[in-house]
Amino acid sequence: MATYIRKATHERLHRRIRKKIAGTAERPRLAVHFSGKHIYAQVIDDDASKTIVAAATTQKDLLGKNKPAANRATAEIVGKAIAERARAKKIDKVVFDRGGFQYQGKVKALADAAREGGLQF
């Protein structure tokens, strides 16, 4: 029962955020998602409905020999990777979409790492 309530709350918050945030070609949306085991980040142009770049812990080259985990250290790795890949595509300004998650812990670590990598939001 508690899992259902938590998931419904998360989805409601995400819908509320998405009403206000949209990515464009000039300023795409950096969307993050955290499952129990993995971390996903995408830079999305909502006008064209296209994912421009993505980084996730499911990619073997990202973690190397480390095991996938949804923690702060891994969030920093994903944040740096998404910033590198976005900068390679000439993207330096994005809109941050926290995806209904609270801006603390893993979300903040990923955002700070992306900022250090050169993304502005």
Side-chain angles (χ1 to χ4, degrees):
M1 185 72 172
T3 303
Y4 171 74
I5 293 169
R6 184 171 54 228
K7 186 173 182 179
T9 302
H10 168 75
E11 288 174 0
R12 190 182 77 246
L13 288 171
H14 193 201
R15 278 195 309 270
R16 187 187 322 155
I17 292 167
R18 285 288 289 125
K19 280 189 225 175
K20 302 172 189 173
I21 295 175
T24 62
E26 298 82 36
R27 196 171 174 125
R29 176 171 56 101
L30 172 58
V32 297
H33 178 73
F34 300 90
S35 69
K37 188 175 182 181
H38 293 287
I39 299 174
Y40 307 89
Q42 295 180 321
V43 175
I44 304 167
D45 177 3
D46 289 317
D47 290 342
S49 300
K50 297 285 183 187
T51 298
I52 301 167
V53 291
T57 55
T58 55
Q59 299 168 340
K60 299 292 184 192
D61 62 331
L62 192 64
L63 290 180
K65 294 183 180 181
N66 298 335
K67 287 178 62 178
N71 56 28
R72 284 186 191 183
T74 308
E76 288 178 6
I77 293 170
V78 173
K80 288 178 186 173
I82 196 75
E84 275 180 27
R85 294 174 185 182
R87 299 285 290 160
K89 295 270 186 162
K90 306 269 192 264
I91 298 169
D92 57 348
K93 291 185 179 182
V94 296
V95 178
F96 188 68
D97 177 7
R98 60 187 174 89
F101 299 99
Q102 290 186 353
Y103 190 81
Q104 63 183 16
K106 297 179 280 193
V107 178
K108 187 173 187 307
L110 190 144
D112 290 342
R115 280 190 190 104
E116 288 175 14
L119 289 181
Q120 296 175 4
F121 50 91

